[in-house]
Amino acid sequence: RILAVAMLTRSGCAVDTAGDGEAAVHHYLAGGHAMVFMDMQMPVMDGLEAARRIRAAEGPDRHVPIIALTANAFAEDQQASLEAGMDAFLTKPVREAELRAVLERFGKAVEDA
């Protein structure tokens, strides 16, 4: 998490962190987030369930990009993240070029939020 926060901050992003999946959902519901980077393995509630709850809470005019972060690089993990409503998938350790590519890919969504 420390590395991802540092890279996002260097890229000009304001970063808010959550210690578990339930807290991540609460942070999202509080508003103000243009993008969510979601670890798939967290205590209390895993990232897949947290993503499902975020998607269920979104209104018809709101879609916040959710990017999965995981050490598991298996195809079934990527498929599970997409089925849970995540928009992209990054494996750890995250490389800065990959992170920047995701920021650029979803930059329009971020600007519109």
Side-chain angles (χ1 to χ4, degrees):
R1 176 169 48 174
I2 293 169
L3 181 59
V5 168
M7 287 189 285
L8 288 165
T9 301
R10 270 196 307 269
S11 294
C13 299
V15 180
D16 185 19
T17 63
D20 61 64
E22 187 173 75
V25 173
H26 288 295
H27 282 276
Y28 168 80
L29 293 174
H33 298 89
M35 187 179 292
V36 175
F37 288 86
M38 184 77 71
D39 195 326
M40 288 179 58
Q41 295 180 341
M42 293 184 289
V44 182
M45 177 190 304
D46 69 22
L48 297 173
E49 182 60 25
R52 287 185 200 98
R53 291 192 185 188
I54 288 171
R55 291 295 179 234
E58 285 183 329
D61 298 329
R62 180 93 165 118
H63 181 88
V64 172
I66 302 174
I67 293 58
L69 294 174
T70 184
N72 299 328
F74 299 109
E76 54 267 17
D77 296 308
Q78 185 170 5
Q79 185 62 35
S81 72
L82 296 174
E83 288 173 1
M86 296 188 194
D87 299 285
F89 184 89
L90 293 175
T91 56
K92 294 188 245 178
V94 176
R95 291 176 179 77
E96 196 152 1
E98 294 169 336
L99 185 67
R100 286 182 189 264
V102 165
L103 291 173
E104 288 176 18
R105 176 178 170 194
F106 293 103
K108 178 71 173 134
V110 171
E111 290 170 10
D112 290 344

